[in-house]
Amino acid sequence: AIERTFSIIKPDAVRRNLIGKIIAIFEENGLRPIALKKIHMTRAQAEGFYAVHKERPFFGELVEQMIASPVVVQVLEGENAILKNREIMGATNPANAAEGTIRKLFALSVGENSVHGSDAPETAAEEIRFFFNDDELVG
Ligand code: CMP
């Protein structure tokens, strides 16, 4: 089925001028951006977005990395988009990411792993709503 998923091109990738290369990979794999914007996340946004991780030991570092410099947030639409995006991104830790995946190509470490993508339909809907209004989604 055609799905929508939420994606972040993280600060480490934006700083290294990888926005275009990463979006090209999404488009080549049938994921079309239907909404996108460059933002500099506030601490409150980063803490809210990653609230599910707030008891984890890496939470503080995660928030600092996400607010260090701008990101690109996107809604991607396509066949089986949620799982497809996860396949294209590769494993969270680039050391475990398959050849050809975005994280294998570009990630620096598990924290600076270049992209975020929703992990399930419920979180995709929540994450899209966190950053976008309905009238910003142009399918
Ligand atoms: P992301 O998909 O954005 O979701 C949470 C992020 O926490 C994850 O990608 C990683 O960048 C970051 N992170 C940092 N350390 C860890 C860790 N040990 N395990 C999982 N995620 C981590």
Side-chain angles (χ1 to χ4, degrees):
I2 300 287
E3 293 176 340
R4 291 174 174 180
T5 192
F6 176 75
S7 167
I8 303 176
I9 303 176
K10 293 188 179 186
D12 72 272
V14 173
R15 282 198 294 267
R16 288 179 289 147
N17 302 318
L18 295 171
I19 296 171
K21 287 199 171 82
I22 290 172
I23 293 177
I25 293 171
F26 291 143
E27 291 186 322
E28 284 159 7
N29 284 279
L31 297 181
R32 313 181 70 188
I34 63 162
L36 67 176
K37 55 191 173 189
K38 187 178 188 183
I39 62 169
H40 195 150
M41 271 195 215
T42 64
R43 184 174 297 276
Q45 276 179 311
E47 288 178 351
F49 182 76
Y50 281 120
V52 64
H53 295 305
K54 71 174 178 297
E55 304 305 331
R56 305 264 217 127
F58 56 81
F59 182 70
E61 187 187 353
L62 173 61
V63 169
E64 294 302 330
Q65 287 173 337
M66 293 304 291
I67 68 177
S69 60
V71 301
V72 173
V73 290
Q74 294 183 80
V75 178
L76 302 174
E77 185 176 84
E79 189 63 34
N80 206 11
I82 297 164
L83 188 62
K84 172 77 70 69
N85 184 37
R86 293 178 64 74
E87 288 171 1
I88 294 167
M89 290 192 296
T92 303
N93 186 339
N96 303 325
E99 283 305 322
T101 61
I102 291 171
R103 285 166 171 159
K104 178 72 175 188
L105 286 167
F106 301 129
L108 302 173
S109 65
V110 66
E112 296 192 304
N113 64 350
S114 301
V115 282
H116 165 82
S118 306
D119 61 4
E122 302 72 36
T123 46
E126 270 175 42
E127 291 178 356
I128 290 169
R129 231 179 303 117
F130 194 90
F131 285 105
F132 291 99
N133 295 318
D134 280 348
D135 66 1
E136 294 179 288
L137 310 180
V138 184

